[in-house]
Amino acid sequence: MGLASGASVIALAIAAATGGQAQAQTAQVSVEEVVVTGTRVVRDGYQAPTPLTVISETEILAAAPSNVADFVNDIPSIVGSATPQTSNASISAGTAGVNALNLRGLGATRTLVLLNGQRSVGSTITGAVDVNTFPQGLISGVQIVTGGASAAYGSDAVSGVVNFILNTDYQGFKGSIEAGQTTYGDDDEYRINLTFGTEFAGGRGHLLLNAEVADREGIYGVPRDWNNDGWYIITNPAYVPGNGQPERLVASSVGLSNASPGGIIVDTPLRGTTFGVGGTVGQLAFGVTRDPWMIGGDWRSVQVNNLQSLNADDRRKGFFGRVSYDLTDNVEVFGQVSYNTHASLGWTGVQFNQGNVTIRSDNAFLPASIRQQLAALNIPSFRFGTSNLGLPIRKTDNERSVTRYVVGAEGDFTAFDREWRWDAYYQRGETETLEIARDITNNARLALAQDAVFAPNGQIVCRSTLTNPTNGCIPFNRMGIGVNSQAALDYILGNPQREQFFTQQVAAANISGDPFSTWAGPVSMAAGIEHRKEEVSGFVPTEFQSGWFVGNYRPTFGSYTVTEAYVEAVVPLAEGLDLNAAVRGTDYSTSGYVTTWKVGAVYSPIPDLRFRVTRSRDIRAPNLNELFAAGTSRTNTLLDPFNNNQATQFLEVTTGNLALTPELADTWGLGVVVQPSFLPGFAAAIDYFQIEIDSSIGSVTASTIVDRCFQGNQAFCAAITRSGNQISRVSVSPFNFAVQKSRGVDLEATYRFDLGPGAMALRAVGTYYLENFEDNGIDVPTDNAGSIALPEFIYRASATYTADPWTIQVTGRGVSESTYDNAFVECTTACPASTIANRTINNNKIDGAFYVDLAMTYDLKLLQKTEAFVNVTNLFNRDPEIVAYGPAGTAYGNPSTAQGVFDILGRVFRVGVRFEY
C-alpha cells in the first residue's frame, strides 16, 4: 500500500481534494498524474497541507543520472548526503560507497527514506538506507516531505521523508542502455535496465519483473589540475599570542615538514635528510616551517593528496519481482521480492607517520654514510617521518547485498454507508556486508620488522630474531621507495575485515475513510499500527580486532523492537479552511514510550492564494550503532596542547552508549502558495521551517576532548590514554546533546506555457539556510549556516522545451559563497586574541559556484517508444572551488575542495537509448 501505510499521504490526498496546496519541485511540462502510493490524485505538486517536493519520472529521465540519488542530491533541501565521492575514506566506519540522503544537513539518520512508502533495511549499522540498492528502472517518482513527519510516517522522520515510488502497475516491456565518461576520458560507466509487466488470469493477476546491471570504473587518484597547488590551513609560522598575526593561514605551496614519501629524519643535526627511490639520500629544503607544515621549499615533493579515489568504482546488480492477484473485486494480495548487490573499491590514501617513528642508529638499512654520521655525533636514535609510498595505497573494498521480502493485502469495503480502504503487510529485510580494509599495516609486526640489524653472520635480520630465532620476523626497510621484497611487505600488511548482518522485520496494518461529516464537509480519518524489530550481528576474525593502523573491527550484537500506533484526520472547518492533525504513540524496547504529534491548517481566502502552517513533535531513537557499537577504531592525528601543539598520532576508538534516550524535535512550518488566475501556468511557493532538536545524539571530536582536558575539565581527561607523555588513545562515544537547531526558507516558482510548436516549462527552486547549529553544552555554539558545511543558499533552475520529437532541458545549479567556519575571525594584521572557540585566520572566504547542465532527448519513432538521449553535466567544465583542510587530522591526504558541495568530476557526458513496446 506504500505511503498510505502511513496516514499522512491519505490525509494529504484528501487535503488536496479539498483545496490544500504545497510546494513541489519538478520539471513537468504539463500536469501529470503522480501516483501517491495508496491513492491516485491529479496534482502538479502544489496541492498539499505541508511542503512537498515531487520529482516526476519525466524529470528523472530528462536528466538521465547514473543513479537516481545523484539527481535527488541536487534538490536544495538535501545537503551533506553521503555519496561514493564523500564516503570513500570511511574505512573503519564501513560506510564507503554508500549513497545515503541527508535532509536539511541534519544527518542521514534523521532522514526517513522509504521505498514505495515502506521502510527498507539499513545498509550500514547506523540504519542509513543506501539508495544504490533500489530498483532504479522502476522508480516513477520521488516525494520529499520537507519537515518533521514522525507522527505521520513514523519515528526517525525528524528532518523529513524521502519516498521512492515504484510503478507496480506497469504492463509491457521496456529497457535502457546507457553509458558515460568524463571529458578527461575517465570514470567510464554503463547501465542496462530491463522491465517486464503483464496481466494473467483474465486480468486478475499481475506480474512485474525488473533487472539491472550497472558498472562505474571510478577514478583512482585525483588527476585534476585544481588539486596541484598545495592548499592547506596551517598554523601561522609567525604567530605568537598577542603579536597581531592570525593564528591560522590558508596558504598554497604548502607541504608537510615531518613526513616525506620515502621518509625524512625530523630531529638531530641530520634533520631534513630524505630517502627516495631505491633509498637515494637527499636533503629537503624546508622553506618557512611550523610543524607539521611548511610553506615553500620542496613542498611539491611531499604532496600525496592525489592518492585518494576522486570517485570510487561502483558495481551494482539488482532484481525485483512482484506478483499480485485480485481475490475479489475488493481484495488484492501481493508478494514482492528484491535482491540487490553493490560493490565498491576505492583508494583511501597513504599511511602517514608524522615524525613519530623511532629508528635506531644501528639500523642495518641505513646507508653507510648516514650511519657513520650518526656514530660520529654519538646519536643513538632519531625520529623519522614518512608517508610510506613504499607501501601499497590503502583501499576500501566493500560489498553489500540487500534482500527484501514483502507480502500483504489491500482492499476496500462499505460499512455504515461509508467507503473504507485498508491494507496490511509483513516485510523482512536482510543486509549482509563484507567490509575489507586492504593493505593495512600491523602495528606490532611493523615495529619488529623496521628494527633491523646485522646478524653475526652479516645478514640483515630483525633485532627480535637475535633472541627469538623462530619468531618469523622479516626485516622491513623504511628508508626509501621500492626497497623491500614482496615477502617483507606480506609480513607487515593485512586486510582487516568484518562481516555484518542487519535484519529488519515490519508488520503493519492501516485503515482509512470518511466516518462522518461536519457543517463544512466530510471528515477524513486514518489509523494504523506497526511493529518493527531491528537487529545486528557480526563476525570479525580475532586477528583483525586490534593491532592495525586502521580497521580494528569489532563485531557488534544487539537488537531492539518498536511498536507504534497512530491516528490522523483532516477536518474541514469552513470553506477554504481545513485542519489536519495526527498523533502517534511509539514504544521502544530500549528507551521507553514517546508521543509524537502534528497539527496544521490550510487556509485559502481566494482560489489564487493559500496559506499553511504546521507544528509537530518528532522523535529519533538511538540506532543500533549508537547503542551497541563494540568499538571501531582508526589511527588519527591531532595537535596536542600538552606538548606545544605537537602533531600526535593516536588511536581513536568509538563505542556505543546504552544510556542514550530518544531525540525530541519541535518543528514549525509556515508557508504561502500563489497561483494567480490572471497568469495561467504560473505558481510560486515560499515556506519557512524551524527544527529544534532537544537531547540530540552526537559526539565531540577527539581534538575537542583533548582541548577541554587541557583547559582543566577532568571529565574529558578520563577518555584519554597516554603512553609516557604521548597521547596514544582517545575514546569517543555518543551522548545526548543539549540542542540542535535549523531554520531556513524554501523557495519555488514554476511557469508553464506554449511556445511555438511546443511547450516550455520554467522552474526555479532554492533553499536559504538561516541557521544551523549544535549546542552540546561543551563547545561554544557555532552557526554553520553559511559555512562550507552548509552553504547559505543552494539553488537549481531549469528550462525544459518540448516540441516533438525533441525535448531539450537546460539546468543551472549552484551554491552561494561560504566560510570555512563561522567561528573563525578573519584578519591579516592587528588581529584580536585567538581562542579555541574563535581562531583567527587570514582568509575565511570560499567562493560560490554555478554549473550548467544540458540534456537532449530525440524520439526515434520506433516500436511503441524509442528515445535516444545525450546528457552533459557541468557543460562548461568548471573546476570546483579550492577548499583547504588542516591543520590536523587527515588534511594532508584530502583533495583541495569540498567533495560534497562542488562538482569535482568536471564535464561528464552520458548517452543512451530507452525503448518500450
Side-chain angles (χ1 to χ4, degrees), residues 784-841:
N784 290 324
S787 73
I788 193 61
L790 186 67
E792 189 173 52
F793 187 50
I794 304 174
Y795 56 92
R796 185 178 191 272
S798 64
T800 305
Y801 183 69
T802 299
D804 191 41
W806 287 96
T807 297
I808 300 174
Q809 183 182 86
V810 178
T811 301
R813 53 189 170 87
V815 299
S816 61
E817 68 176 32
S818 57
T819 67
Y820 281 96
D821 191 321
N822 289 341
F824 285 163
V825 177
E826 182 175 330
C827 59
T828 55
T829 59
C831 293
S834 186
T835 66
I836 291 175
N838 299 105
R839 306 278 189 185
T840 52
I841 193 168

Side-chain angles (χ1 to χ4, degrees), residues 9 192 209-210 337 569 576 677 812 856 917:
V9 165
I192 301 172
L209 302 173
N210 173 265
V337 62
S677 56
M856 297 185 293
Y917 65 90

Side-chain angles (χ1 to χ4, degrees), residues 542-671:
T542 302
E543 67 265 30
F544 296 136
Q545 294 188 17
S546 63
W548 300 85
F549 191 81
V550 294
N552 300 303
Y553 300 118
R554 297 288 182 90
T556 297
F557 299 88
S559 67
Y560 66 83
T561 60
V562 54
T563 301
E564 304 182 87
Y566 72 89
V567 62
E568 184 167 6
V570 175
V571 182
L573 300 179
E575 183 177 355
L577 177 61
D578 292 332
L579 175 72
N580 61 91
V583 63
R584 176 180 293 256
T586 304
D587 188 37
Y588 280 90
S589 61
T590 51
S591 52
Y593 178 84
V594 183
T595 299
T596 56
W597 50 266
K598 178 191 72 171
V599 61
V602 177
Y603 177 54
S604 181
I606 58 174
D608 299 13
L609 186 64
R610 293 176 176 84
F611 299 95
R612 58 181 172 224
V613 61
T614 304
R615 179 75 163 88
S616 66
R617 162 62 61 90
D618 305 287
I619 65 165
R620 183 184 79 86
N623 58 48
L624 292 169
N625 187 61
E626 290 163 338
L627 289 169
F628 303 111
T632 59
S633 60
R634 61 170 182 158
T635 300
N636 203 350
T637 304
L638 56 76
L639 301 184
D640 184 3
F642 291 93
N643 287 300
N644 196 29
N645 286 324
Q646 177 181 315
T648 302
Q649 284 188 318
F650 67 99
L651 191 67
E652 180 178 308
V653 181
T654 302
T655 58
N657 180 1
L658 287 171
L660 293 172
T661 59
E663 300 177 340
L664 300 177
D666 292 321
T667 300
W668 276 102
L670 180 64

